[in-house]
Amino acid sequence: MSSKTMFQQALTRFFDAAKHLNVDPKILEKWEFPLETTHARLTIRMDDGSLKSFRAWRSRNDDTRGPTKGGIRFHPSVTADEVEALAFLMTVKCAVVNLPFGGGKGGVQIDPLGLSKTELERLSRRYVQIFFNVIGPNRDIPAPDVNTNAMIMAWMSNEYDSIVGEVTPAVITGKPISLGGSLGRDDATARGGYYLLEYLAKDLGFTPGARVAIQGFGNAGSHIAQLLESAGHKVVAVSDSKGAIGGPTGIDIGQLSLAKERNGSVTSLAGAHGTSKIAADELVSVDCDLLVLAAMEDMVHAGNAANVKAPIILELANSPITPEADEILKNRGVVVFPDILANAGGVTVSYFEWVQNRQGYYWPIEDIHARLKTKMEEEGAAIWASAKEKNITLRSAAYVHALSRLVDAIY
């Protein structure tokens, strides 16, 4: 694992990209720490009558290009560094796809699986009560992230409405459709990555029938599996937090989704339909044409990067590859589509939701998909061309692409 913190890793990549532009070093200093980070204690009443407190954060990295935007995650390993790093990456990501946002991020240090539905609702509403002065439709706009979903966003949005005394749908994105959510938000992260792959397929040599391994079978991982299967590709290995399975002739994604829904893990399909269990840490070394990283941070590192057999990696998770692993993969000629481009479909459709909320007019799914496809293809093409021209990785090219827009906004 990297000795640097997650925030330090992101800054290192950012400052390396600056070497390819004529940027005043004093300008870069503004990104060395966030605009503001609020650390709070959330205390809620549990179902048994007891009180419990949990650590929580909301970080706003930079608002040069617009209000800050970013998800809220509920996870036991959430830390201030992680939240600040992800807020910074959101600043870069929004600049990569040219959205009028800066980056924000929130988190609560908790395992939500240990809460009842009513406790989860109390926690969600308490988050808004505590961070009410931080968020706002023109200041900081939360969204779902790890272990949060449309229902949690609905509770949070409703709590904000109660506090301000008026319905304010644009304060939060990722809401249920019935409460002002956008069509196409459910699979946006995966679909954006899929559009990117398909657009550059010829350059990549990525043809129908390609073998795919997917680490993480949550929202992004399950949707990219469905999209790739529908396009004629074969998913040959999948993992989740409880284990992994392989199927050399291709795993039926419909059967896999059903098995996970019923039993809580992809491993419950093992032994059926030509599948078998494999070690979870072997997923990244499966022999395949595309490796999709859709789990957590630092999953490919100096200790396993040399074992990666896939010539193409798509980062749907945030920061799944450490800088040390990046160097190893670059030297081996592996093409990595970085998170700040590959998973930008999620924030792009969140932006569409915010726009629709503000104008009170909602677009059909065909418009959502068309706008997302255009956005991913335009920015993907620019970054691909920049990488070739400068002889740098796609990650470096994406950071250069973002930094040029951020610097222009400052000047």
Side-chain angles (χ1 to χ4, degrees):
M1 296 294 182
S2 174
S3 58
K4 294 182 178 180
T5 67
M6 188 177 174
F7 196 13
Q8 289 171 336
Q9 289 180 36
L11 283 174
T12 297
R13 288 163 165 162
F14 189 67
F15 293 147
D16 283 346
K19 297 173 184 176
H20 298 280
L21 295 169
N22 184 23
V23 182
D24 183 343
K26 291 181 180 179
I27 292 291
L28 296 176
E29 288 178 3
K30 74 171 291 178
W31 287 293
E32 290 184 355
F33 46 87
L35 180 65
E36 63 178 35
T37 299
T38 307
H39 181 191
R41 178 184 68 238
L42 305 190
T43 301
I44 63 169
R45 181 78 62 183
M46 307 302 285
D47 289 346
D48 64 4
S50 65
L51 291 174
K52 280 193 178 180
S53 297
F54 307 96
R55 300 179 76 180
W57 295 266
R58 186 69 190 175
S59 182
R60 299 177 66 237
N61 175 262
D62 184 75
D63 61 0
T64 302
R65 287 170 48 86
T68 50
K69 180 86 185 72
I72 300 171
R73 58 177 50 188
F74 291 173
H75 196 275
S77 69
V78 170
T79 63
D81 175 74
E82 178 184 63
V83 169
E84 291 184 346
L86 291 170
F88 171 78
L89 288 172
M90 280 298 295
T91 294
V92 179
K93 189 182 303 181
C94 289
V96 164
V97 288
N98 205 20
L99 303 180
F101 290 140
K105 207 71 175 184
V108 180
Q109 196 176 80
I110 189 173
D111 180 2
L113 297 179
L115 299 180
S116 69
K117 186 175 180 179
T118 53
E119 289 168 341
L120 186 60
E121 180 176 357
R122 290 184 205 117
L123 182 74
S124 302
R125 291 181 179 276
R126 187 60 179 158
Y127 187 94
V128 174
Q129 292 164 12
I130 292 295
F131 292 102
F132 160 71
N133 289 322
V134 175
I135 66 174
N138 298 307
R139 191 175 195 275
D140 179 50
I141 305 136
D145 198 78
V146 176
N147 291 329
T148 55
N149 54 28
M151 177 58 73
I152 289 172
M153 295 305 107
W155 290 329
M156 289 185 170
S157 181
N158 178 256
E159 190 64 28
Y160 186 88
D161 293 349
S162 297
I163 294 170
V164 300
E166 62 182 27
V167 177
T168 316
V171 69
I172 283 174
T173 61
K175 303 179 295 296
I177 301 298
S178 59
L179 295 175
S182 175
L183 295 172
R185 181 62 186 87
D186 55 346
D187 71 350
T189 301
R191 187 171 289 275
Y194 170 75
Y195 285 152
L196 188 64
L197 280 173
E198 290 297 293
Y199 182 67
L200 294 168
K202 186 175 180 181
D203 296 284
L204 295 165
F206 187 67
T207 57
R211 297 162 302 147
V212 182
I214 301 174
Q215 183 186 60
F217 201 70
N219 178 277
S222 60
H223 280 116
I224 194 74
Q226 293 166 11
L227 289 165
L228 290 169
E229 182 185 60
S230 296
H233 304 297
K234 293 191 299 183
V235 178
V236 297
V238 176
S239 70
D240 61 18
S241 60
K242 296 180 181 177
I245 63 168
T249 60
I251 300 170
D252 185 307
I253 301 305
Q255 294 290 339
L256 182 64
S257 298
L258 187 60
K260 173 153 186 174
E261 184 180 346
R262 286 177 174 172
N263 305 298
S265 174
V266 298
T267 58
S268 62
L269 189 68
H273 308 283
T275 65
S276 59
K277 282 188 180 181
I278 60 175
D281 57 5
E282 290 179 10
L283 192 284
V284 300
S285 60
V286 165
D287 187 11
C288 60
D289 303 302
L290 170 68
L291 172 61
V292 178
L293 299 175
M296 296 293 286
E297 298 85 16
D298 297 343
M299 301 308 291
V300 177
H301 46 79
N304 64 8
N307 300 327
V308 172
K309 297 182 178 66
I312 308 167
I313 295 178
L314 183 73
E315 291 187 334
L316 291 186
N318 290 312
S319 299
I321 300 176
T322 67
E324 294 86 353
D326 252 342
E327 192 65 23
I328 294 169
L329 295 170
K330 180 183 77 172
N331 292 336
R332 295 182 57 227
V334 177
V335 176
V336 177
F337 284 95
D339 50 0
I340 54 174
L341 170 65
N343 70 22
V347 70
T348 299
V349 177
S350 279
Y351 165 64
F352 295 164
E353 180 177 336
W354 180 74
V355 170
Q356 292 170 87
N357 289 160
R358 292 171 71 89
Q359 66 184 11
Y361 177 79
Y362 293 83
W363 311 334
I365 189 68
E366 295 81 9
D367 283 6
I368 300 290
H369 287 169
R371 290 169 190 262
L372 175 60
K373 188 172 187 287
T374 297
K375 177 67 73 176
M376 297 304 297
E377 290 180 353
E378 285 180 350
E379 306 302 340
I383 290 168
W384 182 268
S386 176
K388 295 300 180 186
E389 177 191 343
K390 295 179 172 61
N391 192 29
I392 57 178
T393 65
L394 290 175
R395 189 185 310 282
S396 292
Y399 272 98
V400 169
H401 193 59
L403 183 55
S404 64
R405 284 176 173 157
L406 288 165
V407 170
D408 283 347
I410 292 170
Y411 283 124

